[in-house]
Every structure is written in C-alpha cells, then in structure tokens.
Amino acid sequence: MSKALLHGASANLLARVSGLAASFLNIFLLGRLLNIEDFGLWAWLFAIYSLITSQDFGYISAMRVRIGRHIQTEKSQQQRLLYTAALLMTIFVLVVVIFGIFGYSFIFGNSTEEERLRNLAIFCSSATILGTVSAQALLAHLHTAIVGLIETLRSIIQIIIYALAYFFNWSLTSLVFCFFITCLIYIPLVTKLYLSTTRWQFSEIYFTAKNHWAQLKSIGLTLCKEGWILWVVQIGMTMLIGSDVYLSGFFLEPQDVAKVNIISRFQLLGVGLLAAALTPVIAGFVVQVESVDKRLATKKINAAYLIFLGVGFLYSAVFFSWGQSLSMLWGHIEIDYPIVFVLSGLLLFLTLSTTLMQIFLQFPMVSVRLGPWLISIIVLKIFLSGWLTALYGYIGIFMASIVAVSIFLILSHSLILKQGIYERLHTAP
C-alpha cells in the first residue's frame, strides 16, 4: 500500500472513530443535561443539521467528477471554472434559504424561541455547504487524508461543545447557539486548505467569476443537468433510511422525539458498524459487476439478506430484553413500549438490505429508473408518518419507515434482478 493511501485510510478511520465518539457523547452528556422536552427539540435540530449537511445538491458531485477528469490533463483553468461555478451556485442556494427564512418570519409574524432556534439551525447548516464545495474538490484531487482530518476536527469540536455544555450547565439556547455558530468555522478552514493545495489565490476565484461570467453560466447549467438525478437519489435515500428523527419533529411532541432519537441511534450504530465492515466487499462486488453473472450475483445478495436477517433478529431479541435499561443508561430516556425495539430490529434488517441494493444506484441506468419511484415512496413515507403517529404515537414513525423501506427494497430488487437491468450492467462496456 502506498504512503498516500495509508494516510488516507488512517485519516478516514480516525474520522469514523471520532464521529462515533461524538455521537455517543451527544446522547450521554446532553441526555443528562437537558430535560426530555429540550433534548427532544435538540435532537430535532441536530437531525435538521445532519439532513442538510449530508446534501450536495448533485451539482457538487458533478463538479467533483469533472475536476477529477481534468486532473489527468492538468487543465488548471477548467478546474478553476468548475470550482467557481459550484461556489457561486451554492451562494445562490444560501441566498434563497436566507430569503425563505426572513419571508416565513415576515408572513407569520413574531416567531417563538423554538422557531428562532430552528431558523439558526437551517441557516448555519446550509452555509456549511460552501465548505462542502471545497471538500469535494479536495476529494477530486485525491486529498482524502486532508478531508478525513477535517472531519475529525469537526467531531472533536462537537465533543468540546457537548463537554462545555454539560460541565457549565448551559441552557438549550446557549447550546444551540454555540454549536451552530462554531459549525461555520468549517467554511473558511476547508476553503483555505483547498486553495493552498491548488496554489490558487482567492483573488483568482474572484476574477474568474468576474471575467468568465457567460462561461460559468454554461458550466453551471451543465453541472445541474448532470447532477440532478444524483441529488434526487441522494436526498431520496437520506429521507428513506435516515429521516425518522427529522420527520418525528413535525408530528410528535418533543419528549417523543427524544425517544425516537435514541432508538434510531441504537439502530444506526448497527447499520454503521456493519456497513463499514462490508464496504471493501461491496466495493469489490461493484467493480466486478461485468464479470459476475446474474445467477452468482443473486446468490450473493440472497446470502447477504440472510446475514442481515440474523443481525436484525439478534438486535430485536437483545433490545427487547435490555433496550429499556440501555436507554436509561445511555441517555436517561425511558422507553415505555419495548415492542418498538422489535420494529427497530426489523427496520435494521430492511435498512441493511437497502444499503446493499443502494450500490447499484451509482449506475445511471439504475438511478434514472429508480429516481421517480423513490420520490413517490418518500411522499408515501411522509403521509404514513403523519397518519400512523396520530394513531400509535412515536411507534408510528418506525411503522411508516418499515412500509416505505420494504416497498423500495422489493422494487429495487425486482428492477435490478428481475427486469433485465443487471444483464445490461453485466454486458456494458
């Protein structure tokens, strides 16, 4: 293994470990600091942050791909144009968000403390996408170690904020303000690092925007055309398997949002650990699609389903017995219906299986076919979340997710393995 690959792998491992530590302390410290209503509101605001910062609107991914192509030909001017176009598009998105926030506040009058905290979370989270442009550009230049270290630093800052809040007994308002304001440090940090690695000056970016406006508009339209389906899949998959806490904030009281949050954290911990272990296997499978016929691929996928089913069953059994005690131990949150852990175990099985099928979405012929269906499934999930929570409380959130993820899994499995898509991938040049 080369030194660059070793550094990149080490930095990414460090980022993953620090991220897990931050996630653990988020619950452990803040669950003890805040009452259950405030913790539920915090969980919802953090879910907004996670949802927004996981997005790159497709055009940023398209920029990364195009910069990667031009690295081979050393077209520095073309790389600068691509980077500038993506940066300007993100500034436009941020301006739209700001006007949306002010417009909402103007139309509906005086806002509550909760609404002001939500607006702060939306603005700061959206602003960090300016840093995402530079981070994706760094990845295009294969500076994975730098990006891994930046993510590690973000997690360390989060841990520091949680610790300060706990030991100095901060209020929810102080916690939210300090957390989201410090998030903005990410923007100048990663931007400066990218400009340093490319030996560009910020003035060059400014003059590129000023002197090549027509060309930048053309590049921006091209990035949108190439990236829209990527974003549909990106936001769709995020809403499908990672939006339970976010949606619960619209349909449940804060104390129930807190319960959904800790149950989802238990579940996502299992998804994250197993997905990380399977990443090398999955990556190798994708690379070898053209050499693995459908019969063998189906056999491997079915074997993975059985493994995931066993994991989900084990999770259900363990947490049905000890989930309430573990919830109290971790976050001082009482789960009054242990049956929810059985539903969470079923959802864990479905989520892991969906993660396996998700690897095919990187192929355009798959994402174009599944994208419109994915949007319909998300709309159905939102409707079911509202309806089922009205009937069954916070358990309804998990019931809605089970239905939505099941539909997607059946649909994607049928489309890829039953309707000829895999054969086309297998024979594609």
Side-chain angles (χ1 to χ4, degrees):
M1 180 181 293
S2 69
K3 186 176 293 187
L5 287 176
L6 181 61
H7 288 167
S10 300
N12 287 327
L13 176 61
L14 187 61
R16 183 175 291 275
V17 171
S18 60
L20 288 174
S23 180
F24 174 80
L25 291 174
N26 184 336
I27 302 290
F28 185 80
L29 294 179
L30 302 186
R32 287 162 169 76
L33 170 68
L34 305 172
N35 60 50
I36 192 168
E37 288 80 11
D38 284 349
F39 184 72
L41 179 55
W42 161 257
W44 185 53
L45 296 176
F46 191 84
I48 292 173
Y49 165 79
S50 299
L51 178 68
I52 294 176
T53 55
S54 67
Q55 304 305 306
D56 65 12
F57 299 100
Y59 66 84
I60 300 179
S61 290
M63 173 211 69
R64 182 187 64 190
V65 172
R66 282 184 162 261
I67 287 179
R69 291 173 185 168
H70 290 298
I71 287 174
Q72 305 294 331
T73 56
E74 298 184 352
K75 293 183 178 179
S76 178
Q77 176 62 15
Q78 190 65 23
Q79 294 175 38
R80 191 180 296 116
L81 287 168
L82 287 163
Y83 176 77
T84 304
L87 203 62
L88 291 175
M89 292 166 72
T90 306
I91 292 173
F92 174 76
V93 169
L94 186 57
V95 170
V96 170
V97 169
I98 292 172
F99 273 100
I101 291 173
F102 280 106
Y104 179 90
S105 300
F106 178 78
I107 292 172
F108 293 97
N110 294 326
S111 59
T112 64
E113 179 71 12
E114 177 181 331
E115 289 172 335
R116 286 193 289 270
L117 293 177
R118 181 201 60 200
N119 292 342
L120 177 65
I122 293 173
F123 169 74
C124 293
S125 302
S126 301
T128 61
I129 299 174
L130 288 168
T132 302
V133 177
S134 299
Q136 292 292 323
L138 281 168
L139 289 175
H141 286 270
L142 304 180
H143 294 304
T144 55
I146 295 177
V147 176
L149 291 174
I150 292 171
E151 293 303 318
T152 301
L153 181 60
R154 292 178 82 177
S155 297
I156 291 173
I157 291 174
Q158 289 181 16
I159 291 172
I160 292 172
I161 294 294
Y162 301 154
L164 289 174
Y166 179 74
F167 288 112
F168 290 97
N169 198 29
W170 287 358
S171 66
L172 174 64
T173 302
S174 299
L175 169 65
V176 171
F177 182 81
C178 290
F179 179 86
F180 285 102
I181 292 300
T182 54
C183 286
L184 299 179
I185 298 173
Y186 175 69
I187 304 169
L189 174 63
V190 70
T191 302
K192 178 62 177 177
L193 285 171
Y194 178 65
L195 295 179
S196 298
T197 58
T198 54
R199 295 184 175 86
W200 297 346
Q201 300 295 324
F202 191 79
S203 58
E204 295 180 78
I205 305 300
Y206 171 77
F207 285 114
T208 298
K210 182 178 179 181
N211 299 328
H212 300 84
W213 184 248
Q215 196 172 356
L216 288 172
K217 287 194 293 184
S218 175
I219 291 174
L221 290 174
T222 300
L223 292 179
C224 287
K225 182 179 179 181
E226 294 178 356
W228 75 269
I229 190 63
L230 298 175
W231 186 54
V232 167
V233 171
Q234 184 186 72
I235 186 66
M237 293 307 300
T238 302
M239 289 295 296
L240 182 67
I241 61 178
S243 65
D244 290 345
V245 180
Y246 173 73
L247 290 177
S248 68
F250 293 98
F251 303 119
L252 296 170
E253 294 298 319
Q255 59 267 28
D256 288 331
V257 176
K259 297 173 184 178
V260 172
N261 181 48
I262 195 165
I263 295 168
S264 296
R265 290 299 182 97
F266 279 128
Q267 174 192 313
L268 292 175
L269 183 62
V271 173
L273 291 176
L274 198 55
L278 290 175
T279 295
V281 178
I282 292 173
F285 180 74
V286 173
V287 170
Q288 297 174 9
V289 161
E290 71 281 357
S291 62
V292 178
D293 61 30
K294 190 176 82 169
R295 180 181 173 186
L296 180 57
T298 303
K299 185 177 179 180
K300 288 185 175 183
I301 289 172
N302 288 340
Y305 286 161
L306 289 175
I307 294 172
F308 297 155
L309 182 61
V311 171
F313 180 80
L314 179 62
Y315 173 95
S316 296
V318 170
F319 279 89
F320 183 77
S321 301
W322 296 296
Q324 292 171 300
S325 299
L326 291 173
S327 297
M328 286 297 296
L329 183 64
W330 188 11
H332 274 202
I333 296 173
E334 182 180 358
I335 305 299
D336 38 7
Y337 299 111
I339 189 65
V340 74
F341 289 111
V342 177
L343 297 177
S344 183
L346 175 57
L347 186 56
L348 174 61
F349 155 66
L350 293 170
T351 302
L352 288 169
S353 301
T354 299
T355 302
L356 180 64
M357 299 307 294
Q358 188 181 349
I359 64 177
F360 293 100
L361 287 173
Q362 66 178 292
F363 298 104
M365 71 175 71
V366 178
S367 57
V368 169
R369 291 283 297 275
L370 275 177
W373 286 104
L374 189 55
I375 294 174
S376 301
I377 293 171
I378 296 309
V379 172
L380 175 63
K381 179 179 179 178
I382 295 171
F383 169 76
L384 287 176
S385 296
W387 179 47
L388 292 174
T389 52
L391 294 175
Y392 304 106
Y394 68 90
I395 296 178
I397 284 288
F398 299 99
M399 296 170 68
S401 287
I402 288 171
V403 173
V405 177
S406 297
I407 293 173
F408 176 81
L409 184 59
I410 294 170
L411 181 66
S412 58
H413 186 93
S414 174
L415 180 66
I416 294 167
L417 297 176
K418 303 294 185 182
Q419 298 183 26
I421 293 292
Y422 190 88
E423 287 84 349
R424 291 166 64 186
L425 293 175
H426 181 63
T427 57

